[in-house]
């Protein structure tokens, strides 16, 4: 039975103004704690070091002329960035699951 004193309020309802900060804090833990995440970041940085023009594609609003090898490196960076995004989304999903259990406990359901 749900406690009469419990008022259900989601995190977004209560803290919508800092929700993006909250999400950033969840994903920031990956770069500190997850070895695979760190390795993917390091691989991207290595590609940028070897192919500075690839980094310039992201950091500049100017058109860039890339060699075939640089284009392949750019594709690899994009694939690695997609993997990082997948990991971040998974971390946010699991944090949401964790928070929902907390709400259920607070409500006296669990």
């Amino acid at each position: 039975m749900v406690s009469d004193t419990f008022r259900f309020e989601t995190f977004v309802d209560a803290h919508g103004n800092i929700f993006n900060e909250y999400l950033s804090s969840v994903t920031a833990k990956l770069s500190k704690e997850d070895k695979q995440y760190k390795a993917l970041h390091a691989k991207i940085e290595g590609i940028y070091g070897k192919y500075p023009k690839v980094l310039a594609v992201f950091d500049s609003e100017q058109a860039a002329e890339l060699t075939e090898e640089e284009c392949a490196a750019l594709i690899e960076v994009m694939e690695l960035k997609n993997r990082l995004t997948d990991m971040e989304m998974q971390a946010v999903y699991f944090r949401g699951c964790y928070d929902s259990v907390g709400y259920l406990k607070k409500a006296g359901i669990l």
Side-chain angles (χ1 to χ4, degrees):
M1 176 153 182
V2 175
S3 168
D4 291 335
T5 60
F6 178 74
R7 183 175 156 261
F8 184 77
E9 181 177 60
T10 68
F11 180 87
V12 176
D13 293 336
H15 307 288
N17 58 329
I18 62 163
F19 185 66
N20 286 336
E21 285 181 43
Y22 178 73
L23 290 180
S24 292
S25 72
V26 171
T27 58
K29 289 181 182 177
L30 288 172
S31 63
K32 295 175 186 158
E33 299 171 1
D34 190 289
K35 290 178 184 178
Q36 183 182 6
Y37 192 87
K38 287 182 197 179
L40 291 175
H41 256 291
K43 191 168 186 176
I44 290 170
E45 291 302 316
I47 292 170
Y48 289 158
K50 186 174 180 180
Y51 303 104
K53 283 185 175 180
V54 172
L55 177 59
V57 167
F58 297 104
D59 285 346
S60 175
E61 294 181 17
Q62 297 176 1
E65 196 171 307
L66 303 176
T67 65
E68 188 174 330
E69 192 175 344
E70 290 167 331
C71 284
L74 176 61
I75 291 167
E76 184 178 5
V77 165
M78 296 302 295
E79 289 171 350
L80 293 169
K81 284 181 174 263
N82 284 340
R83 287 174 56 194
L84 290 174
T85 299
D86 289 346
M87 293 176 77
E88 291 167 357
M89 290 173 58
Q90 185 181 41
V92 169
Y93 171 82
F94 284 118
R95 180 61 207 203
C97 293
Y98 177 84
D99 287 347
S100 68
V101 169
Y103 283 123
L104 293 174
K105 284 184 177 183
K106 186 175 180 182
I109 296 170
L110 290 179

